[in-house]
Amino acid sequence: MPRPIDHRSTSPYPADRVYAVMADPEYLRARLARMGGKGAELLEHSPDGDGVRYRLRQGLDRQLLPPLVQTLIPGDLMIERAECLRPDTDIGGYRGDVDVRVPGTPVAATGAMRLADAAAGSEFAVRARITVNVPFLGGKLESMIAEQVVKLLAAETGFTEEWLARRPT
């Protein structure tokens, strides 16, 4: 049964400013350099109408994986993540999609993103579902992966806030 992820974070910056950073290839490369692991790379980046679409590869050292996952994965993990964000006038911000694949494994995640102005700046939200198609262990693995994804999203939010604070408008 797929495991849901519901992550929310707030920023003191307006949605348009946060979006501009999230859509910036320089920012994406810097974020990958800081927390993307071995083999991290911005694979694609392109305007998509008024929005943006990009694809990232992140590496995760096998030794950082929970022991149960290490028994199922022969080497380091390479994670491919495709995201798009586009303006949404209904919410006064941006909506998008995220699709995550781990090539060579039965792990996938799909979901939606939302970035909108809030009372004291903006709010970024990700709702996704992780699926691990492994009999008997899938649910346990989904739970472990969901926990790690939430930690990653929090770390990325922290990086984004640092990036914005260093670059005045």
Side-chain angles (χ1 to χ4, degrees):
M1 180 174 181
R3 180 81 48 189
I5 293 175
D6 191 5
H7 172 79
R8 293 180 187 283
S9 61
T10 58
S11 172
Y13 302 99
D16 286 342
R17 183 147 182 236
V18 175
Y19 167 78
V21 165
M22 291 176 70
D24 179 358
E26 178 186 353
Y27 156 82
L28 292 167
R29 286 187 189 99
R31 190 179 82 191
L32 286 167
R34 164 106 45 101
M35 61 187 63
K38 291 187 231 176
E41 184 179 355
L42 178 59
L43 300 170
E44 290 178 32
H45 184 277
S46 61
D48 184 25
D50 291 338
V52 66
R53 177 176 300 280
Y54 50 87
R55 195 165 56 92
L56 313 166
R57 179 176 44 222
Q58 295 173 266
L60 185 57
D61 188 313
R62 184 176 188 275
Q63 300 305 315
L64 299 175
L65 300 171
L68 175 61
V69 177
Q70 288 182 28
T71 64
L72 301 170
I73 306 295
D76 297 340
L77 282 181
M78 296 309 291
I79 302 161
E80 292 188 7
R81 183 169 150 187
E83 297 182 0
C84 70
L85 279 168
R86 58 201 165 279
D88 185 327
T89 55
D90 291 340
I91 65 167
Y94 302 85
R95 285 194 191 270
D97 303 304
V98 61
D99 183 68
V100 180
R101 300 287 176 232
V102 182
T105 73
V107 178
T110 57
M113 301 183 296
R114 180 182 172 276
L115 173 63
D117 286 327
S122 61
E123 180 184 69
F124 179 63
V126 177
R127 294 191 110 176
R129 298 182 70 75
I130 295 176
T131 305
V132 179
N133 289 317
V134 175
F136 306 111
L137 296 175
K140 185 173 179 78
L141 293 170
E142 288 165 355
S143 181
M144 290 173 161
I145 293 168
E147 184 179 310
Q148 295 306 310
V149 168
V150 169
K151 287 179 183 177
L152 174 64
L153 291 170
E156 288 178 352
T157 296
F159 181 84
T160 303
E161 292 301 310
E162 288 175 27
W163 186 272
L164 285 160
R166 288 191 314 256
R167 287 163 177 78
T169 55

